[in-house]
Amino acid sequence: MAQRKRQLVATELTEAALQLLALKGFDAVTVDEIATTAGVSKRTFFRYFASKEDVVVQFLAGMGADMRAGLATRPAGERPSEALLHAVSVPLTACGDHAERALPVVRLILRTPALLARLLEHQARWREELTAELGERLGRDPRTDLRPRLAAGMALAAFDAVLHRWSDGEEAESTEDPGALIAEAFAVLAPALDPAAP
């Protein structure tokens, strides 16, 4: 019960922080405002997060975890392009399904230099994780074979291109569908990715 309550508070704080930050801009929002919006004390906020930036970092960490888990659950004999498409589609589909909440947050991250830097740090970690997972799937050692790292890098380049395209513009909504965009990107990448299959 205590764990469930902690999770509920963390979710409320995350939601309040992300929406306030997206609405007002990263520098304009204080931790006090986030705590008040979530209905908790500032002290409670700091039990869950080290800073307001930390809220966004956890959002990004969740995206990476979803990708790696998505890749790990794909059938063993599946072509690399299909497995990677499904993996990077997981967070993009979630963004598309909750566009009214996710789009402002993605725009915030891409347009705030400190948060964009954190996204790039996370993408470097995601690349290592996807490289390791791909190496295992393909039976290729990433230390001696470039293919797993190149494939992971191409998948993340596609993911990044889709985020930028989806969030382009100033309108409250995007007419683009991130799921359709990533499928379009992988149609271009598939010929380069699939020869890496054993």
Side-chain angles (χ1 to χ4, degrees):
M1 189 63 141
Q3 180 60 32
R4 188 165 178 263
K5 186 179 177 193
R6 268 188 70 75
Q7 187 55 53
L8 285 171
V9 173
T11 301
E12 282 290 314
L13 275 170
T14 301
E15 193 65 32
L18 292 176
Q19 294 314 305
L20 270 175
L21 293 168
L23 181 67
K24 295 183 165 189
F26 186 74
D27 294 326
V29 176
T30 65
V31 168
D32 283 324
E33 273 184 280
I34 295 168
T36 300
T37 302
V40 299
S41 68
K42 187 175 174 180
R43 186 174 169 193
T44 298
F45 175 91
F46 285 117
R47 269 192 238 133
Y48 291 85
F49 301 105
S51 66
K52 60 185 180 178
E53 186 182 89
D54 196 37
V55 178
V56 180
V57 169
Q58 285 198 17
F59 173 78
L60 295 172
M63 285 181 135
D66 288 347
M67 279 189 239
R68 183 172 190 166
L71 183 58
T73 61
R74 300 308 302 168
E78 191 172 47
R79 290 177 309 175
S81 64
E82 290 214 10
L84 283 166
L85 170 60
H86 285 284
V88 298
S89 291
V90 174
L92 289 172
T93 299
C95 283
D97 290 346
H98 304 285
E100 69 289 341
R101 292 195 321 256
L103 183 58
V105 174
V106 170
R107 285 179 173 153
L108 171 77
I109 292 168
L110 295 179
R111 297 173 185 181
T112 306
L115 298 178
L116 179 58
R118 296 307 295 268
L119 172 62
L120 296 174
E121 283 174 29
H122 275 273
Q123 284 183 344
R125 267 186 240 127
W126 301 345
R127 189 169 40 255
E128 293 307 312
E129 291 170 359
L130 292 177
T131 295
E133 188 68 40
L134 277 169
E136 211 169 291
R137 289 176 63 83
L138 299 172
R140 298 181 183 277
D141 185 346
R143 293 171 299 184
T144 58
D145 191 320
L146 290 173
R147 282 173 267 202
R149 187 172 307 283
L150 285 170
M154 284 191 282
L156 289 173
F159 174 83
D160 191 59
V162 167
L163 281 185
H164 279 84
R165 168 91 172 264
W166 182 57
S167 66
D168 197 26
E170 299 301 324
E171 304 82 26
E173 295 179 21
S174 173
T175 56
E176 304 273 19
D177 171 15
L181 289 173
I182 197 66
E184 185 183 325
F186 269 81
V188 174
L189 294 180
L193 289 169
D194 290 335

